[in-house]
Amino acid sequence: MTVVIGFEGSANKIGVGIIRDGEVLSNPRRTYITPPGQGFLPGETAKHHRGVILTVLQEALDEAGLKPADVDCVAYTKGPGMGAPLVTVAVVARTVAQLWGKPLLGVNHCIGHIEMGRLITNAHNPTVLYVSGGNTQVIAYSERRYRIFGETIDIAVGNCLDRFARVIKISNDPSPGYNIEQMAKKGTKYIELPYTVKGMDVSFSGILSYIEDAAHKMLSTGQCTPEDLCFSLQETLFAMLVEITERAMAHCGSQEVMIVGGVGCNLRLQEMMAVMCKERGARIFATDERFCIDNGAMIAQAGWEMFRSGHVTELSDSWITQRYRTDEVEVTWRD
């Protein structure tokens, strides 16, 4: 049996997870939450992670009922992500690997999401929609790579939602995206927004600029409610994502869609994707907030796959890469 511990801290979540041959033994995490109207800065986020990471590590070991000697490999998020938080986690992972005398493994954050999704949902070979605060990509596996078929050309969908939440002072607890989702359920009026799909790619910055401007004008004059704006933004963004996902499915001849990443928890996105899948006779796979939001177990699971197929990161190569593309990794553990 192979046991891998994974450290994740690429954004405002810090998590440590332990996987043993496909079984999640533990997966504690903490979230750095800022006041309404504010985002999270790299330095402050890293400071938060430094303050709690050893506590979370001990929680993971206690919950799994394991000792350091039981662990076979230490995996950590190499990138992509915010520089300072990534460095914090990499330093701890390097230190732990040396103290415990275990091999070290740098993992691509995006592939962590995909491998966790495959483990939890049992999807066979899905077209993947990866949507989070920092990434928006449509991905499919082919010839030892996770190929990117389409992506955002500017900001990620989660970033778009988060920044809109700041405009109308929505709480960041537990997350701005979750609170937008709850408010959108009460929206009744659809405000037309720019719809920007460019081939297989999407653009969100123009929509954000438009709704930021519209929000001040329309709310001050009573033309709509904050709930209407949340509803309209979600419907527009998610329609764009469903469109490019369906196009990738058609190109690949795929009959499965898997949604991963923090925005993948959104039930309205899952619902819209399910409608498209039903029309195509396809299946949809998604996970709940335990596994779609950044967590240590997803890094452990990708690390488990990589370690079993012969990957190890030498200490001299154990840096971080803020811009680490999904398709840069050779996927040696799949057929």
Side-chain angles (χ1 to χ4, degrees):
M1 285 187 149
T2 304
V3 177
V4 177
I5 188 166
F7 290 82
E8 155 58 23
S10 59
N12 68 328
K13 313 282 189 307
I14 179 77
V16 181
I18 300 176
I19 293 275
R20 180 174 59 205
D21 292 352
E23 180 187 1
V24 181
L25 300 182
S26 61
N27 199 20
R29 71 174 166 226
R30 298 282 193 282
T31 303
Y32 173 52
I33 294 171
T34 54
Q38 295 182 25
F40 47 92
L41 298 170
E44 295 298 315
T45 308
K47 184 179 177 182
H48 166 266
H49 290 1
R50 288 195 298 272
V52 298
I53 191 166
L54 295 181
T55 304
V56 178
L57 170 58
Q58 192 60 54
E59 274 180 33
L61 289 169
D62 292 345
E63 199 178 310
L66 297 178
K67 303 183 296 296
D70 302 319
V71 174
D72 296 299
C73 177
V74 176
Y76 74 96
T77 302
K78 181 178 178 179
M82 300 169 75
L86 281 172
V87 167
T88 296
V89 172
V91 167
V92 173
R94 279 199 293 262
T95 305
V96 164
Q98 291 177 87
L99 284 172
W100 295 357
K102 306 295 180 182
L104 186 65
L105 198 46
V107 171
N108 180 289
H109 177 86
C110 314
I111 287 177
H113 276 295
I114 295 170
E115 294 305 335
M116 196 68 194
R118 288 180 63 226
L119 172 68
I120 299 299
T121 66
N122 290 314
H124 172 59
N125 186 25
T127 299
V128 178
L129 175 65
Y130 169 37
V131 277
S132 69
N135 301 274
T136 301
Q137 297 174 344
V138 178
I139 301 160
Y141 174 75
S142 176
E143 297 179 354
R144 291 200 156 191
R145 299 275 169 176
Y146 281 117
R147 313 282 175 177
I148 299 171
F149 280 77
E151 60 189 317
T152 175
I153 60 174
D154 39 50
I155 60 173
V157 64
N159 190 7
C160 182
L161 290 166
D162 292 353
R163 284 166 65 176
F164 174 66
R166 288 181 223 164
V167 172
I168 58 173
K169 299 293 191 289
I170 293 174
S171 170
N172 292 327
D173 188 9
S175 73
Y178 175 82
N179 293 326
I180 285 177
E181 180 184 1
Q182 304 317 308
M183 288 178 68
K185 293 174 183 175
K186 300 171 187 170
T188 55
K189 181 179 179 181
Y190 177 75
I191 290 101
E192 196 162 323
L193 301 171
Y195 185 97
T196 318
V197 173
K198 303 188 177 187
M200 283 299 298
D201 295 330
V202 288
S203 170
F204 299 122
S205 59
I207 301 169
L208 178 62
S209 299
Y210 183 92
I211 198 170
E212 281 178 344
D213 185 50
H216 295 300
K217 293 174 182 173
M218 297 181 81
L219 292 175
S220 62
T221 56
Q223 294 178 59
C224 70
T225 65
E227 288 78 8
D228 292 334
L229 289 171
C230 291
F231 165 70
S232 303
L233 183 60
Q234 271 200 173
E235 294 298 301
T236 306
L237 298 180
F238 296 168
M240 291 162 58
L241 295 172
V242 171
E243 179 185 331
I244 63 170
T245 303
E246 183 174 20
R247 200 171 290 134
M249 290 175 73
H251 180 83
C252 298
S254 170
Q255 289 298 102
E256 293 181 333
V257 171
M258 182 173 74
I259 309 176
V260 300
V263 181
C265 303
N266 189 298
L267 296 180
R268 180 56 184 153
L269 174 58
Q270 293 180 20
E271 182 183 17
M272 291 171 72
M273 194 68 76
V275 171
M276 181 272 286
C277 287
K278 186 178 179 183
E279 291 173 354
R280 295 186 65 84
R283 297 180 67 194
I284 179 174
F285 298 90
T287 63
D288 59 30
E289 60 88 29
R290 292 173 301 165
F291 303 116
C292 64
I293 293 173
D294 292 351
N295 62 90
M298 73 185 209
I299 302 304
Q301 175 60 17
W304 184 88
E305 295 278 14
M306 294 171 72
F307 184 61
R308 300 262 293 192
S309 66
H311 289 257
V312 170
T313 301
E314 295 299 325
L315 202 61
S316 57
D317 293 330
S318 61
W319 53 68
I320 59 114
T321 304
Q322 280 188 264
R323 298 184 183 275
Y324 190 14
R325 297 278 293 177
T326 312
D327 50 10
E328 284 180 48
V329 180
E330 187 180 7
V331 183
T332 55
W333 56 94
R334 289 188 63 173
D335 297 330

